[in-house]
Amino acid sequence: MKRQILTAVIVSCTTIGLVACGQDQAPVEEAAAPPAQEPTMLDRAVETAKDASDRVGAAATAAKDTASEAAASAMEQASVVGERAETEAKEMIEQVKSFLAEDKEDMARELMSKLSAMKDSVSETVRAEIERLEAMFSDA
């Protein structure tokens, strides 16, 4: 408020002084008000902030899209690895059964230790078969 009063007093004094000297008042008004066409520093700062915000938003969207694609790819790879482990476990189960039929118990036990390690990465059906074979070995 004090600044506005002080500014009004200064402008009034300047106007009175110029009128007293015989000069026109128009130059004072032109000097007091900045041209409406020229952007102020605040306008430029606001525009810069908007541009930066737009760039950050675009970067965030791009990062989100990339993360989504990476997650989808990782899920697909995990599925392939899981299917491969499942197939491998089934083949190993059949080999264990074959070794047992051929009385190659040492080879069957060695393969069973590998199967036991894989037990957590296979389906419930295969896990149940592995546990059934483990029970056979523990009974023997």
Side-chain angles (χ1 to χ4, degrees):
M1 183 74 179
K2 289 181 183 180
R3 181 180 260 171
Q4 290 176 343
I5 293 172
L6 183 59
T7 303
V9 169
I10 291 173
V11 170
S12 297
C13 290
T14 305
T15 305
I16 292 171
L18 291 175
V19 170
C21 293
Q23 293 190 359
D24 193 9
Q25 189 175 355
V28 172
E29 291 173 356
E30 290 174 9
Q37 299 167 355
E38 216 175 288
T40 63
M41 287 186 66
L42 178 61
D43 294 336
R44 287 183 284 204
V46 168
E47 285 301 315
T48 302
K50 285 180 183 178
D51 291 344
S53 175
D54 291 344
R55 286 187 297 234
V56 168
T61 300
K64 179 183 148 207
D65 292 344
T66 301
S68 295
E69 290 171 8
S73 176
M75 294 287 286
E76 185 177 319
Q77 288 177 355
S79 175
V80 168
V81 168
E83 289 172 8
R84 190 176 307 145
E86 187 86 9
T87 303
E88 188 176 321
K90 287 177 182 178
E91 290 172 0
M92 291 170 72
I93 288 170
E94 291 305 314
Q95 283 182 330
V96 167
K97 290 177 181 179
S98 175
F99 289 150
L100 289 175
E102 297 171 5
D103 287 331
K104 297 180 181 178
E105 190 174 328
D106 290 339
M107 294 175 82
R109 283 188 186 279
E110 185 178 318
L111 202 51
M112 272 309 297
S113 66
K114 292 178 184 178
L115 269 172
S116 295
M118 294 176 66
K119 189 169 39 174
D120 292 334
S121 63
V122 294
S123 68
E124 287 293 322
T125 307
V126 175
R127 185 176 304 136
E129 183 68 18
I130 293 171
E131 289 172 354
R132 189 182 68 74
L133 288 171
E134 286 175 336
M136 285 176 50
F137 277 100
S138 64
D139 291 342

